[in-house]
Amino acid sequence: MSARELITEHLDLWSGAVTKKSSSGRGSKGKVELTGVKKLRELILELAVRGKLVEQGIPTESSPNLVALMEQEKSRLVASGRIKKPKAVCSTQLESYPFDIPKAWGWYSLGALGYTQTGSTPSKSQNELFGSDIPFLKPGDISDNGDIFYENEGLSEAGKATLGKWAEKGSILMVCIGTIGKCGLIEQQCTFNQQINSVTPYIPEVSRFLMLCLKSPYFQAAAWEKSSSTTISILNKGKWESIPVPLPPLEEQHRIVQKVDELMALCDRLEQQTSDQLEAHETLVDTLLGTLTQSENATELADNWARLAAHFDTLFTTEQSIDKLKQTILQLAVMGRLVEQDDEDEPASHLLKCIDKEIGQRVSEGTIRKPKALAMVEGSFPYDLPKGWRWEKLGRFTLIGTGATPSRGRPDYYSPPEYPWVTSGETSQAFICDTKERVSSLAVKETNISIYPAGTLIVAMYGQGKTRGQITELKVAAGTNQACAAIQPIIKDESHRRYIKLCFIKLYDEIREVAAGGAQPNLNTGKIANTLIPLPPLTEQNRIVQKVDELMALCDQLKERINQASETRCQLAEAVVEKGLSA
């Protein structure tokens, strides 16, 4: 089977292998990686450098002839003083061959094929060294796909002269510190910093094939293998230029580059087609899920849900679509449209009266302080609620506290480690059964730490990335640091507590938006207490959380099936790659 057949006969496999890459937080859109197309691009490059991408004709020349021309050009450059005399060209020993190559090809170290340099940076205190005479490139100016951005920063002619090194048009740059392996072919003369190495082929016509070699999985793996790492990965120039490179005759290089361009264009079209299909699917899912939340009454909702349920297997085929279904379920739950209302249910106003009575009793017993009065709930609301429900602030029916961080200079505050101590980063878990750190009884006695009982809900008030607004539930008694709010429902009812948690998961994005601050916006207990909650009758809360559990379990089953299918497709793609390389 030819390379072309190997690729084109498996287009459905390449386009079907899709994985979720990342998401920025609860309720956010996850990025999707087209794993199959990525594997296909890698396969094309690997076949190219192994001499398996184009037919092998009767060679009219060999790579040693080409290297001889390189030697002549190198001697001319050295004699003219343009470059220093590099190490002599040497073939890789037979036992060191990474893989077999065609007879007319040869193995040579990267440094034998071109002049190599490591960049440097002029003194930032000398403004006259910077300007727009020549681009000054850094790793961020080289994209993952090899595009070069020349406009971000430049040097003056004086800056270029100070460095005494630059790369000519047709040179290949590779990042060799940090994001090792990113590389690009420059189309104009450039300078670059110390995180980048360059190779300028002695024969310019070699540049494009050499670029394919450096981007290939073989060379990328070799570069990482030769790198050293402490806190950051580093590949020095000596080790980089010693990596063996397979070199075909020049005529075959041109045919390989042309075939790679053709097949990469096919990958572009396949990638665009797959992305368009995913986008169209996402739009369809959004529209159909929107019919649920926009239903005017229970009958219309039931009809729309039945229509959706009949096509679950074709609609919910990606992790993104299932995550959106989960968000819609939560939206219907807090709007009072997920379960039927029962006229026999005691309204939320009755629940609030019971809560007021419980608060009064605890205040008189001295077990709690009298809560601060909250401003009345008034103004416009996000949506209308069913009969028996009411909008109410969280602080009206819960107790809200926070914690503290004992002095790190007091070892006796942390030893013996007796009480679990929650940090905001740990709120990413659905439940907390244990913590990374614990505090001592002395810390609880002498600091502002409170030990909250199991069942307390913990919300992150600030923290890095997606942390702010996350909610978790204590399964053990624990204290918290000052970056967490502890929410204790007045009524000790499991469904009530779970409904509050459900509301916070649904309101994740909205809660984050009310945070105040500059570089790191913060919530506080006052903002948490004033969070507006759609409060149903207590018995309906029980029905809601049961239905949510039932539907979330269905979503998890769908997601598991999708993950298994995606994993299978990725494994098949890997198998096809292996087949192509071993052919």
Side-chain angles (χ1 to χ4, degrees), residues 430-480:
F431 299 96
I432 290 182
C433 301
D434 200 0
T435 54
K436 292 180 181 178
E437 294 187 84
R438 289 176 172 247
V439 295
S440 66
S441 297
L442 183 63
V444 175
K445 180 180 179 180
E446 294 185 357
T447 71
N448 291 330
I449 291 179
S450 296
I451 300 302
Y452 297 105
T456 301
L457 302 175
I458 306 296
V459 175
M461 293 191 292
Y462 50 93
Q464 296 296 324
K466 64 182 181 181
T467 300
R468 185 179 75 255
Q470 289 179 157
I471 189 167
T472 186
E473 180 180 341
L474 295 181
K475 285 295 186 180
V476 293
T480 79

Side-chain angles (χ1 to χ4, degrees), residues 353-527:
K353 289 179 181 178
C354 294
I355 288 170
D356 288 340
K357 182 178 179 181
E358 178 68 17
I359 290 174
Q361 183 174 340
R362 292 196 204 178
V363 169
S364 63
E365 292 171 350
T367 56
I368 64 171
R369 294 179 180 179
K370 184 177 180 180
K372 293 181 180 179
L374 297 171
M376 290 183 61
V377 177
E378 54 188 2
S380 58
F381 300 111
Y383 45 82
D384 294 331
L385 295 177
K387 180 182 178 182
W389 290 48
R390 64 185 287 175
W391 289 101
E392 195 54 78
K393 294 180 178 179
L394 180 71
R396 175 75 167 73
F397 51 91
T398 65
L399 300 175
I400 300 171
T402 187
T405 298
S407 171
R408 295 294 185 179
R410 292 286 301 271
D412 53 348
Y413 282 170
Y414 295 90
S415 182
E418 298 169 271
Y419 293 101
W421 183 69
V422 182
T423 61
S424 59
E426 292 173 305
T427 58
S428 60
Q429 310 166 64
F431 299 96
I432 290 182
C433 301
D434 200 0
T435 54
K436 292 180 181 178
E437 294 187 84
R438 289 176 172 247
V439 295
S440 66
S441 297
L442 183 63
V444 175
K445 180 180 179 180
E446 294 185 357
T447 71
N448 291 330
I449 291 179
S450 296
I451 300 302
Y452 297 105
T456 301
L457 302 175
I458 306 296
V459 175
M461 293 191 292
Y462 50 93
Q464 296 296 324
K466 64 182 181 181
T467 300
R468 185 179 75 255
Q470 289 179 157
I471 189 167
T472 186
E473 180 180 341
L474 295 181
K475 285 295 186 180
V476 293
T480 79
N481 69 6
Q482 66 279 3
C484 297
I487 302 170
Q488 300 180 79
I490 300 296
I491 297 295
K492 305 299 181 183
D493 181 275
E494 182 180 359
S495 295
H496 180 54
R497 180 182 71 249
R498 292 184 60 201
Y499 177 78
I500 296 171
K501 184 179 181 182
L502 177 156
C503 285
F504 264 78
I505 295 173
K506 172 61 191 75
L507 295 171
Y508 172 79
D509 290 326
E510 292 91 330
I511 290 170
R512 287 173 62 84
E513 287 177 3
V514 302
Q520 185 173 312
N522 295 338
L523 295 166
N524 55 44
T525 54
K527 292 180 184 295

Side-chain angles (χ1 to χ4, degrees), residues 152 212 250 371 412 432:
N152 289 334
L212 301 182
L250 194 57
D412 53 348
I432 290 182

Side-chain angles (χ1 to χ4, degrees), residues 169-212:
K169 174 183 177 181
S171 300
I172 301 161
L173 307 186
M174 177 176 275
V175 178
C176 289
I177 297 180
T179 53
I180 291 177
K182 280 205 308 178
C183 53
L185 180 68
I186 59 173
E187 299 295 337
Q188 62 185 90
Q189 193 182 82
C190 294
T191 55
F192 44 95
N193 77 1
Q194 62 278 3
Q195 293 174 271
I196 297 173
N197 288 340
S198 74
V199 56
T200 305
Y202 295 124
I203 302 293
E205 291 84 358
V206 172
S207 290
R208 293 201 62 199
F209 178 81
L210 196 55
M211 174 67 176
L212 301 182

Side-chain angles (χ1 to χ4, degrees), residues 17 38 47 58-59 80 95 102 153 179 248 255 263 312 330 333 387 404 412 533 547 557:
K38 179 183 177 183
L47 290 172
I58 299 175
S80 68
E95 60 270 16
E153 191 172 9
T179 53
R255 290 191 287 120
L263 294 175
F312 257 40
L330 293 177
K387 180 182 178 182
D412 53 348
I533 300 292
K547 177 59 71 172
Q557 290 170 12

Side-chain angles (χ1 to χ4, degrees), residues 157-174:
E157 286 294 340
K160 174 185 172 183
T162 299
L163 290 185
K165 60 178 73 174
W166 60 88
E168 298 291 350
K169 174 183 177 181
S171 300
I172 301 161
L173 307 186
M174 177 176 275

Side-chain angles (χ1 to χ4, degrees), residues 57-77:
I58 299 175
T60 58
E61 57 179 3
S62 63
S63 63
N65 296 334
L66 178 59
V67 172
L69 293 175
M70 291 183 179
E71 281 284 277
Q72 293 177 16
E73 178 62 17
K74 179 178 68 173
S75 298
R76 188 188 70 79
L77 292 171

